[in-house]
PDB file of all heavy atoms in Angstrom:
ATOM      1  N   SER A  50     -27.036  18.589  19.928  1.00 98.00           N
ATOM      2  CA  SER A  50     -26.565  17.601  20.995  1.00 98.00           C
ATOM      3  C   SER A  50     -27.448  17.738  22.291  1.00 98.00           C
ATOM      4  O   SER A  50     -27.441  16.761  23.067  1.00 98.00           O
ATOM      5  CB  SER A  50     -25.127  17.791  21.263  1.00 98.00           C
ATOM      6  OG  SER A  50     -24.899  18.945  21.910  1.00 98.00           O
ATOM      7  N   PHE A  53     -29.526  14.809  22.616  1.00 98.00           N
ATOM      8  CA  PHE A  53     -28.906  13.494  22.892  1.00 98.00           C
ATOM      9  C   PHE A  53     -29.179  13.088  24.408  1.00 98.00           C
ATOM     10  O   PHE A  53     -29.342  13.896  25.289  1.00 98.00           O
ATOM     11  CB  PHE A  53     -27.403  13.593  22.709  1.00 98.00           C
ATOM     12  CG  PHE A  53     -26.995  13.779  21.281  1.00 98.00           C
ATOM     13  CD1 PHE A  53     -25.629  13.915  20.954  1.00 98.00           C
ATOM     14  CD2 PHE A  53     -27.829  13.927  20.184  1.00 98.00           C
ATOM     15  CE1 PHE A  53     -25.170  14.094  19.633  1.00 98.00           C
ATOM     16  CE2 PHE A  53     -27.419  14.114  18.939  1.00 98.00           C
ATOM     17  CZ  PHE A  53     -26.107  14.211  18.685  1.00 98.00           C
ATOM     18  N   ASP A  54     -29.199  11.739  24.511  1.00 98.00           N
ATOM     19  CA  ASP A  54     -29.349  11.191  25.874  1.00 98.00           C
ATOM     20  C   ASP A  54     -28.051  11.254  26.643  1.00 98.00           C
ATOM     21  O   ASP A  54     -28.006  11.441  27.884  1.00 98.00           O
ATOM     22  CB  ASP A  54     -29.846   9.777  25.824  1.00 98.00           C
ATOM     23  CG  ASP A  54     -31.213   9.648  25.191  1.00 98.00           C
ATOM     24  OD1 ASP A  54     -32.073  10.525  25.415  1.00 98.00           O
ATOM     25  OD2 ASP A  54     -31.448   8.678  24.440  1.00 98.00           O
ATOM     26  N   THR A  55     -26.968  11.116  25.956  1.00 98.00           N
ATOM     27  CA  THR A  55     -25.593  11.197  26.577  1.00 98.00           C
ATOM     28  C   THR A  55     -24.646  11.879  25.526  1.00 98.00           C
ATOM     29  O   THR A  55     -24.903  11.896  24.333  1.00 98.00           O
ATOM     30  CB  THR A  55     -25.010   9.743  26.809  1.00 98.00           C
ATOM     31  OG1 THR A  55     -24.798   9.094  25.582  1.00 98.00           O
ATOM     32  CG2 THR A  55     -25.907   8.927  27.733  1.00 98.00           C
ATOM     33  N   ILE A  56     -23.642  12.505  26.100  1.00 98.00           N
ATOM     34  CA  ILE A  56     -22.637  13.207  25.275  1.00 98.00           C
ATOM     35  C   ILE A  56     -21.291  12.739  25.760  1.00 98.00           C
ATOM     36  O   ILE A  56     -20.963  12.955  26.976  1.00 98.00           O
ATOM     37  CB  ILE A  56     -22.697  14.707  25.271  1.00 98.00           C
ATOM     38  CG1 ILE A  56     -24.098  15.214  24.772  1.00 98.00           C
ATOM     39  CG2 ILE A  56     -21.566  15.307  24.469  1.00 98.00           C
ATOM     40  CD1 ILE A  56     -24.302  16.692  24.847  1.00 98.00           C
ATOM     41  N   GLU A  57     -20.473  12.116  24.918  1.00 98.00           N
ATOM     42  CA  GLU A  57     -19.181  11.509  25.365  1.00 98.00           C
ATOM     43  C   GLU A  57     -18.017  12.388  24.837  1.00 98.00           C
ATOM     44  O   GLU A  57     -16.892  12.309  25.450  1.00 98.00           O
ATOM     45  CB  GLU A  57     -18.966  10.096  24.916  1.00 98.00           C
ATOM     46  CG  GLU A  57     -19.011  10.020  23.382  1.00 98.00           C
ATOM     47  CD  GLU A  57     -19.163   8.576  22.848  1.00 98.00           C
ATOM     48  OE1 GLU A  57     -20.203   7.952  22.945  1.00 98.00           O
ATOM     49  OE2 GLU A  57     -18.065   8.037  22.447  1.00 98.00           O
ATOM     50  N   THR A  69     -20.236  14.174  20.101  1.00 98.00           N
ATOM     51  CA  THR A  69     -20.674  12.823  19.827  1.00 98.00           C
ATOM     52  C   THR A  69     -21.372  12.257  21.089  1.00 98.00           C
ATOM     53  O   THR A  69     -20.802  12.435  22.252  1.00 98.00           O
ATOM     54  CB  THR A  69     -19.427  11.908  19.464  1.00 98.00           C
ATOM     55  OG1 THR A  69     -18.931  12.392  18.201  1.00 98.00           O
ATOM     56  CG2 THR A  69     -19.900  10.473  19.195  1.00 98.00           C
ATOM     57  N   GLY A  70     -22.466  11.595  20.937  1.00 98.00           N
ATOM     58  CA  GLY A  70     -23.211  11.023  22.036  1.00 98.00           C
ATOM     59  C   GLY A  70     -24.170   9.929  21.533  1.00 98.00           C
ATOM     60  O   GLY A  70     -23.933   9.358  20.392  1.00 98.00           O
ATOM     61  N   THR A  71     -25.201   9.711  22.322  1.00 98.00           N
ATOM     62  CA  THR A  71     -26.181   8.726  21.940  1.00 98.00           C
ATOM     63  C   THR A  71     -27.564   9.216  22.083  1.00 98.00           C
ATOM     64  O   THR A  71     -27.809  10.097  22.908  1.00 98.00           O
ATOM     65  CB  THR A  71     -26.128   7.438  22.873  1.00 98.00           C
ATOM     66  OG1 THR A  71     -26.297   7.801  24.182  1.00 98.00           O
ATOM     67  CG2 THR A  71     -24.752   6.797  22.696  1.00 98.00           C
ATOM     68  N   LEU A  72     -28.459   8.762  21.240  1.00 98.00           N
ATOM     69  CA  LEU A  72     -29.911   9.092  21.315  1.00 98.00           C
ATOM     70  C   LEU A  72     -30.650   7.695  21.068  1.00 98.00           C
ATOM     71  O   LEU A  72     -30.483   7.108  20.035  1.00 98.00           O
ATOM     72  CB  LEU A  72     -30.247  10.131  20.264  1.00 98.00           C
ATOM     73  CG  LEU A  72     -31.733  10.434  20.207  1.00 98.00           C
ATOM     74  CD1 LEU A  72     -32.280  11.084  21.485  1.00 98.00           C
ATOM     75  CD2 LEU A  72     -31.953  11.431  18.981  1.00 98.00           C
TER      76      LEU A  72
END
Side-chain angles (χ1 to χ4, degrees):
S50 67
F53 293 178
D54 297 321
T55 64
I56 300 176
E57 64 189 75
T69 296
T71 60
L72 177 61

